[in-house]
Each structure stands twice: as structure tokens, then as C-alpha cells.
């Protein structure tokens, strides 16, 4: 089983749609969780940390389910500028070996 | 807004040569990282650095690689005797000790010919 697994997509959605991405991780000792976005040939940019209580930042909502070792990202009212690859990122407890998922590609169309 | 910077943006080198990639982390961050991304593949952790020493490294980070913080601002990755398969984008990142949220530099594209 991969350490961090994501549906590669691509997800093709119209502007204004709601889209959800899922991510599973294999190491139950993982402590810190993040969503990043990456545009083509650019650096990963932090979208948000993911907390056990769930968190929201504008149109973006992240959820963590430790029991199921599952993280999700919901994007509401998709914009053309949301087109990117979304990366699920996991850090272990007491360690720094940060594991990136392979990413889920999103295309938002007019 | 503070940001991580990296130089050069693109480095072309011949097989067998040594390269040094440079990074300036965000000034109040204490944790520094190097990552590699081969074209079309996922971002891979190479090494983390804290308090002037390596805190963790991956299996990719073998004797060919070394890191250094030569002064109070720079953080470098040295790759000795480069191989064709070292061609990739190399990202530097830094984080604080509270959130561990990592902020990435724009990367150095390394091409080994």
C-alpha cells in the first residue's frame, strides 16, 4: 500500500461546481496533514493545514478522519483559477520525512 | 510577505560535475528541507535540517548529497558527481516549529547532460 494515496483524476468540472478530493495514508502514527496546490512546473503552495476538528478557509474545507486514515478537501464554487494539481501531504509523529501524494489534477472549465 | 528564494533558477551541468543549489529560507523559520521532483513524478523528500544538523534523510539522500548552512541566511544542497538521473526540479522549503507548515521556494531546475 502506498504511504499516501490519491485519486489521480483528472477531474473536469464546470465553473461553480463543488468538487471533493480524497486521500488515504498508511502510517497511523502520522501527525500533521496538509493540502497543497501545484501549478504546472511551479512549486507546491500551501492551501491549508488539516485538523481533526476540520477547518475551512473561504471556499475550501478540509476534513481529517484519523480512525479511517483519510483526509478530504472540498472546493465549493470552483473558479477557473482553481485548475491545478492538489497534493495531499503527511508528516509523521516526531519526524520530518514529509510524504507527498502523487496529486489529483483538477480542470475547471468555463 | 516573506518567501523562500532559490538560486539559480536553472542549472545545466555535465555528468560527473558537482553542483551547489542555494536557498534562503524565511528568516524566522528554524526547519529547512530539500525535495526533488522528477518531471511528471511526485515530490520526494530528501532531507530535513534543524539546529545545524540533519534531522532526517530519505534513502535517496546518499553520500552523493550534502547540505550545509554556511551562514545565518543560506541553506545549500551539494550534489557531487552528478548523474543523468539527478535531472529534476529541486525545491527548498522552510517551516516554523509550531505549525510545521512548509513554504517552498520556486525551485532550481537541474539538467545533467
Amino acid at each position: 500500500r502506498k504511504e499516501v494515496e490519491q485519486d489521480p483524476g483528472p477531474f473536469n468540472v464546470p465553473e461553480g461546481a463543488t468538487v471533493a478530493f480524497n486521500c488515504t495514508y498508511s502510517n497511523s502514527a502520522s501527525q500533521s496533514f496538509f493540502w497543497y496546490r501545484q501549478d504546472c512546473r511551479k512549486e507546491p503552495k500551501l492551501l491549508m493545514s488539516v485538523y481533526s476538528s476540520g477547518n475551512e478557509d473561504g471556499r475550501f474545507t478540509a476534513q481529517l478522519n484519523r480512525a479511517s486514515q483519510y483526509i478530504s478537501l472540498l472546493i465549493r464554487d470552483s473558479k477557473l483559477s482553481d485548475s491545478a494539481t492538489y497534493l495531499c501531504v503527511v508528516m509523521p509523529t516526531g519526524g520530518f520525512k514529509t510524504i507527498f501524494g502523487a496529486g489529483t489534477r483538477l480542470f475547471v472549465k468555463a | 510577505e516573506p518567501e523562500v528564494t532559490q538560486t539559480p533558477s536553472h542549472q545545466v551541468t555535465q555528468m560527473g560535475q558537482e553542483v551547489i543549489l542555494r536557498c534562503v529560507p524565511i528568516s524566522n523559520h528554524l526547519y529547512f528541507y530539500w525535495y526533488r521532483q522528477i518531471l511528471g513524478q511526485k515530490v520526494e523528500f530528501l532531507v530535513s535540517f534543524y539546529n545545524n544538523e540533519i534531522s532526517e534523510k530519505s534513502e535517496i539522500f546518499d553520500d552523493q548529497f550534502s547540505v550545509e548552512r554556511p551562514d545565518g541566511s543560506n541553506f545549500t544542497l551539494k550534489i557531487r558527481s552528478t548523474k543523468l538521473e539527478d535531472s529534476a526540479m529541486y525545491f527548498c522549503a522552510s517551516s516554523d516549529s509550531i505549525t510545521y507548515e512548509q513554504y517552498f521556494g520556486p525551485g532550481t531546475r537541474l539538467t545533467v547532460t
Side-chain angles (χ1 to χ4, degrees):
Chain A
R1 183 180 173 186
K2 290 181 185 173
E3 290 178 285
V4 177
E5 202 147 4
Q6 297 183 249
D7 181 342
F11 284 55
N12 292 287
V13 303
E15 268 188 298
T18 295
V19 61
F21 304 134
N22 303 320
C23 169
T24 57
Y25 60 95
S26 60
N27 183 357
S28 60
S30 298
Q31 178 179 19
S32 302
F33 308 90
F34 310 91
W35 282 102
Y36 281 76
R37 67 170 280 166
Q38 186 174 31
D39 294 288
C40 191
R41 294 180 179 253
K42 299 285 191 181
E43 74 273 24
K45 287 190 192 283
L46 178 69
L47 256 185
M48 57 204 307
S49 299
V50 188
Y51 305 117
S52 297
S53 55
N55 47 309
E56 187 173 312
D57 183 1
R59 298 182 293 110
F60 299 84
T61 300
Q63 297 279 350
L64 167 63
N65 184 323
R66 284 188 186 272
S68 303
Q69 294 178 209
Y70 170 92
I71 305 158
S72 65
L73 177 68
L74 185 78
I75 305 176
R76 287 181 297 279
D77 189 22
S78 299
K79 313 286 184 199
L80 294 175
S81 56
D82 293 333
S83 297
T85 297
Y86 288 82
L87 307 175
C88 175
V89 179
V90 174
M91 279 183 83
T93 302
F96 297 94
K97 188 182 176 190
T98 308
I99 307 297
F100 278 71
T104 299
R105 198 85 187 271
L106 172 66
F107 294 100
V108 181
K109 301 188 180 215
Chain B
E1 183 178 311
E3 58 182 19
V4 177
T5 59
Q6 290 186 243
T7 54
S9 56
H10 190 192
Q11 173 95 46
V12 181
T13 190
Q14 288 191 323
M15 207 164 47
Q17 297 297 304
E18 175 181 288
V19 294
I20 297 177
L21 311 183
R22 292 184 165 80
C23 168
V24 179
I26 292 171
S27 62
N28 62 342
H29 283 181
L30 300 177
Y31 295 88
F32 315 123
Y33 312 80
W34 282 103
Y35 292 87
R36 175 182 86 175
Q37 187 173 31
I38 295 169
L39 189 63
Q41 297 187 24
K42 66 177 188 174
V43 177
E44 299 175 290
F45 173 86
L46 291 177
V47 67
S48 59
F49 192 86
Y50 170 70
N51 200 25
N52 282 318
E53 59 183 33
I54 290 173
S55 48
E56 198 155 357
K57 60 183 181 180
S58 71
E59 51 281 352
I60 302 169
F61 193 89
D62 58 22
D63 293 343
Q64 187 195 2
F65 296 89
S66 61
V67 289
E68 194 178 29
R69 187 152 163 85
D71 54 45
S73 58
N74 290 284
F75 179 50
T76 62
L77 174 68
K78 183 189 289 186
I79 310 175
R80 286 180 283 276
S81 190
T82 49
K83 302 181 280 230
L84 293 175
E85 53 266 36
D86 293 327
S87 294
M89 185 74 104
Y90 288 82
F91 293 111
C92 172
S94 68
S95 71
D96 62 27
S97 56
I98 300 171
T99 66
Y100 296 101
E101 291 174 345
Q102 295 180 39
Y103 293 86
F104 282 72
T108 294
R109 179 167 300 282
L110 176 66
T111 303
V112 183
T113 62

